[in-house]
Amino acid sequence: MIFGDSGTTTACRSTPPAPESARWLRDARTARALSLATLVWLGAESALGIAAGFAAHSVALIGWGMFSLVEAAASLIVVWRFTGSRTHSADAEARAGRAVAISFWLLAPYLALHVVYDLWAGHTARPSVLGAVVTAVSLFAMPFLGVAKRRLGARLGSAATSGEGTQNLLCASQAVGVLAGIALNGLGFRWADPVVATLLAAVAAHEGRKAWRGHVCHH
């Protein structure tokens, strides 16, 4: 079970429908096109977010930028999934769904270790105007992509597409957390940044587990 677009729980399944209809093929092409468009933004978002994070020594901001790379990997996986003969392949869908899960799992330990290191070294985050601007843009843009991909994933029976959409929605949610962390750090609450980063790690691990199981949710 995961949350649907309205914030209520929805039932999940993992058996994709037969990819035979014209609508299914249109949805597959749309999923691929949205993933390609997402890659363009994520490239800029990741570079700016990581640069701002290192400049401000913000683990949460660095982690958010790293999560953008994870999202980019998921987008590439979906493009691969719906290209050529793989479009009709159930085996390609299974591999793509697990690859998306692995992309989640790559992020979680990085964030956790980075938090431990910064706490041990006594580093604290500084306010970042660039980080605030980049995360604010994602806060407004990513929900549209996320909802569209989750709906496509449900119609296509594609855990990979649904997982990518979930990552986009998580990106927006994380942007809220990172912005709050930046604001709280500016007010002297130094615990905010590592707390946000730790929450991001937990969410990534949880979503990776669901993607690995191949859950696809109706909307």
Side-chain angles (χ1 to χ4, degrees):
M1 304 284 286
I2 70 172
F3 288 99
D5 299 337
S6 64
T8 57
T9 54
T10 56
C12 295
R13 60 175 168 78
S14 57
T15 303
E20 298 173 352
S21 69
R23 179 181 179 181
W24 193 96
L25 291 173
R26 285 199 304 273
D27 285 342
R29 288 192 293 268
T30 301
R32 184 176 59 193
L34 285 177
S35 295
L36 284 170
T38 304
L39 279 172
V40 176
W41 166 245
L42 290 177
E45 177 183 277
S46 176
L48 293 172
I50 292 174
F54 277 110
H57 212 88
S58 167
V59 185
L61 196 49
I62 293 170
W64 182 77
M66 292 293 292
F67 198 95
S68 296
L69 291 179
V70 173
E71 287 183 87
S75 296
L76 284 171
I77 291 164
V78 172
V79 171
W80 173 87
R81 160 69 180 95
F82 291 113
T83 298
S85 61
R86 290 184 296 273
T87 300
H88 298 282
S89 171
D91 184 56
E93 172 57 36
R95 293 201 303 270
R98 292 195 170 188
V100 169
I102 291 171
S103 73
F104 274 113
W105 289 336
L106 290 174
L107 178 65
Y110 169 82
L111 287 174
L113 290 172
H114 210 319
V115 167
V116 170
Y117 170 76
D118 270 26
L119 291 174
W120 173 78
H123 294 153
T124 56
R126 297 185 297 274
S128 170
V129 174
L130 175 59
V133 170
V134 175
T135 50
V137 172
S138 284
L139 172 61
F140 290 102
M142 282 299 166
F144 296 102
L145 286 170
V147 169
K149 290 173 186 176
R150 280 164 58 99
R151 287 175 174 168
L152 284 169
R155 293 202 299 267
L156 293 166
S158 172
T161 304
S162 293
E164 186 197 2
T166 297
Q167 288 191 7
N168 294 155
L169 292 175
L170 285 174
C171 181
S173 300
Q174 291 156 6
V176 174
V178 172
L179 283 169
I182 290 172
L184 289 171
N185 274 309
L187 295 173
F189 296 96
R190 296 180 178 180
W191 49 264
D193 192 75
V195 166
V196 170
T198 302
L199 288 174
L200 297 189
V203 169
H206 176 67
E207 291 299 328
R209 185 168 62 254
K210 289 197 296 188
W212 184 268
R213 292 172 178 171
H215 286 186
V216 181
C217 294
H218 294 287
H219 301 283

